[in-house]
Amino acid sequence: MSKILILDIETKPTVAYVWRAWDENISPEQVIDRGGLLCFAAKWLGAKETIFLSEWQDGHMAMIEAIHGLLSEAEAVVTYNGDKFDLAKLQGEFLLAGLPPPAPVTSIDVLKTIKKLGLFMNRLAYVGPLLGVGRKLTHEGFALWAKVNQGDEKAQKTMRKYNIKDVKVLEALYLKVRPYIKNHPHLGEGKHECGACGSNKTQRRGFRRTKFFKIQRIQCQDCGSWSEGTRTKIA
């Protein structure tokens, strides 16, 4: 079975001197603290254990090295807006920590599929309950991040629960929308297995036609994903 990592990170806010409460253009000289990675939660698809490391609990370098190792081990990583946020942030953290890039891994950004479904809102807090896959943990907002940075142990425990809950909701959401991920990488072991879930219960379901080809349609009977079989050139 393919090693698919479900991942979510939390970052610290950047601290800077500012002149106004809105519409502020911040120069490099105004930055006091760049922020950076605060904690992360991750789990292997289908596993019971959720991995959690944080700056306050494990130390910055140990946390960075741990997520670097997990990404290098994974064949694919599932995130929510990870292409723009989580994975991009992590690449910068690895560089700043003096680590080489992790091994190449296929990204499955679930938000990109959600955006194509025409739902009223794309935020995980809305989509999770709407699709019946779970709710994000309710918290006090920015004050939680401030308290974590101040060493508040109660806030740190809440942040841990919040981060882990996001990963569990994301895993359930990924499984729910997986048949709708049109560019899902082939994660099966052979050409006769479903590329999305690895099942060998697939059925041929007619054809679709392009201008030049007649393409066999194949559907997985377990997860519902569609794939393509033989292509016959139209004379």
Side-chain angles (χ1 to χ4, degrees):
M1 183 177 179
S2 300
K3 300 202 70 173
I4 303 175
L5 186 69
I6 316 294
L7 173 67
D8 180 64
I9 72 169
E10 298 297 334
T11 58
K12 298 183 292 184
T14 299
V15 181
Y17 291 115
V18 296
W19 298 107
R20 296 177 293 183
W22 58 278
D23 196 25
E24 180 73 33
N25 184 19
I26 299 172
S27 69
E29 292 80 8
Q30 291 173 256
V31 177
I32 305 169
D33 185 338
R34 70 174 184 87
L37 186 64
L38 178 65
C39 57
F40 78 85
K43 72 187 300 290
W44 297 108
L45 180 66
K48 292 183 179 180
E49 179 190 6
T50 301
I51 303 159
F52 176 83
L53 278 87
S54 67
E55 191 174 61
W56 68 83
Q57 172 184 292
D58 306 284
H60 183 77
M61 196 62 191
M63 174 180 61
I64 297 297
E65 289 176 341
I67 186 58
H68 187 281
L70 288 170
L71 286 174
S72 294
E73 188 179 348
E75 295 179 51
V77 57
V78 175
T79 61
Y80 203 78
N81 196 35
D83 286 349
K84 283 190 175 181
F85 185 75
D86 303 67
L87 299 181
K89 287 285 186 182
L90 287 175
Q91 292 295 331
E93 292 291 338
F94 299 150
L95 177 62
L96 289 168
L99 296 174
V105 61
T106 297
S107 171
I108 303 174
D109 189 338
V110 177
L111 177 60
K112 291 183 175 180
T113 295
I114 293 296
K115 285 183 174 181
K116 297 176 182 178
L117 297 178
L119 304 178
F120 173 71
M121 189 182 295
N122 298 324
R123 294 174 62 183
L124 186 59
Y126 174 79
V127 173
L130 179 69
L131 296 181
V133 297
R135 296 178 178 273
K136 291 170 67 72
L137 184 72
T138 302
H139 59 78
E140 57 191 306
F142 179 77
L144 177 63
W145 273 258
K147 290 178 181 178
V148 169
N149 280 339
Q150 292 163 7
D152 187 313
E153 291 185 4
K154 184 178 179 180
Q156 291 169 350
K157 289 179 181 179
T158 300
M159 179 64 74
R160 183 180 188 276
K161 292 178 182 177
Y162 173 72
N163 200 182
I164 290 174
K165 184 68 180 293
D166 271 6
V167 163
K168 292 182 177 179
V169 172
L170 176 57
E171 179 181 37
L173 178 62
Y174 163 65
L175 293 174
K176 183 86 171 184
V177 304
R178 183 166 56 181
Y180 290 87
I181 303 177
K182 294 183 178 180
N183 62 340
H184 197 288
H186 192 288
L187 298 175
E189 296 300 325
K191 65 180 181 180
H192 299 298
E193 295 179 350
C194 171
C197 74
S199 171
N200 58 9
K201 296 179 182 178
T202 58
Q203 288 185 0
R204 298 179 180 88
R205 294 293 183 89
F207 299 86
R208 74 178 183 91
R209 292 174 179 267
T210 67
K211 187 174 182 179
F212 299 106
F213 291 95
K214 179 182 178 182
I215 304 170
Q216 190 175 64
R217 295 186 303 215
I218 299 174
Q219 187 178 32
C220 175
Q221 300 306 291
D222 281 335
C223 75
S225 296
W226 289 90
S227 58
E228 296 181 349
T230 57
R231 289 175 168 240
T232 303
K233 191 168 184 178
I234 300 172

